[in-house]
Amino acid sequence: MQKLFSHPLQIDDMGNGTKTYYLKANKEQLKYIAEVLKLDDVLRFEARVDVLFKYKTHKIDVTGNVVADVEHTSVVSLDKFIKNYSTDFAMQFDTEITYDQIKDLDLEFDDDVPDPVENGQIDLADIAMEQLALILEDFPRKEGEVFKFESEFDEETTKKTNPFAALAKLKK
């Protein structure tokens, strides 16, 4: 699949100070995002990303906000509905660490480890899409919808059709 929504940022081209980037997906890119994230449709996807390269520590701070309007199918009613998402995020990259070095670290589950920079660049569009993916519901439903299970059998029918009832009669 061709990558239609991308905003690579070369680390070597970064200057001093915080730089702000604005990403806004067009119609073709919205379809691509929906396909990548396995969504019914994405109607709007925008991100503001602030990037600060700290030369002395070889770290890159990436913060920002992602806003998206996503069409879902409710798992309760099977109706289509649109949900608005907005999330702030903060993450850090390290230009000198590798995945192999991270593997060798003695880390606890909740330790905050910077992501390595691959091929001298980070893709701001990938970061923004990842942030949306992190807040999506696994089983989307309209606001206020509640799944209520109603058995098609009453208690008496269930007792009669219980396969263990025949075994119980044999024991007697």
Side-chain angles (χ1 to χ4, degrees), residues 6-167:
S6 181
H7 191 93
L9 184 61
Q10 289 297 126
I11 303 308
D12 295 339
D13 297 340
M14 294 180 67
N16 292 329
T18 301
K19 297 239 183 336
T20 301
Y21 300 88
Y22 295 95
L23 310 176
K24 184 174 181 175
N26 63 32
K27 282 187 176 190
E28 187 179 9
Q29 293 167 332
L30 291 171
K31 289 187 186 309
Y32 169 78
I33 295 168
E35 187 177 331
V36 168
L37 298 180
K38 308 273 190 259
L39 299 168
D40 292 348
D41 200 4
V42 177
L43 307 172
R44 175 175 69 132
F45 186 90
E46 298 174 9
R48 186 202 84 249
V49 184
D50 300 316
V51 181
L52 173 63
F53 188 10
K54 299 175 183 175
Y55 288 98
K56 289 182 182 179
T57 61
H58 308 283
K59 302 274 195 293
I60 302 169
D61 289 335
V62 180
T63 59
N65 176 269
V66 176
V67 177
D69 297 335
V70 176
E71 182 178 75
H72 292 290
T73 302
S74 170
V75 296
V76 176
S77 64
L78 301 179
D79 292 336
K80 298 239 184 235
F81 69 100
I82 296 171
K83 181 155 184 181
N84 305 61
Y85 292 93
S86 179
T87 184
D88 294 322
F89 66 91
M91 56 191 310
Q92 191 173 65
F93 290 85
D94 189 325
T95 60
E96 293 193 336
I97 200 165
T98 65
Y99 284 112
D100 288 335
Q101 291 170 330
I102 291 173
K103 247 186 339 186
D104 294 337
L105 294 174
D106 186 27
L107 299 170
E108 295 295 320
F109 178 73
D110 57 348
D111 285 347
D112 196 19
V113 179
D115 291 313
V117 173
E118 295 184 79
N119 303 322
Q121 68 181 15
I122 56 176
D123 192 325
L124 301 181
D126 284 350
I127 293 168
M129 287 173 43
E130 178 182 313
Q131 299 309 310
L132 175 61
L134 289 170
I135 61 171
L136 292 171
E137 297 91 7
D138 293 330
F139 304 101
R141 60 178 180 239
K142 288 185 195 178
E143 193 168 324
E145 277 187 331
V146 178
F147 177 73
K148 185 177 176 187
F149 176 73
E150 293 179 20
S151 175
E152 59 186 86
F153 300 106
D154 59 13
E155 195 172 316
E156 190 61 36
T157 307
T158 303
K159 286 180 185 175
K160 288 180 185 174
T161 59
N162 184 347
F164 296 104
L167 293 174

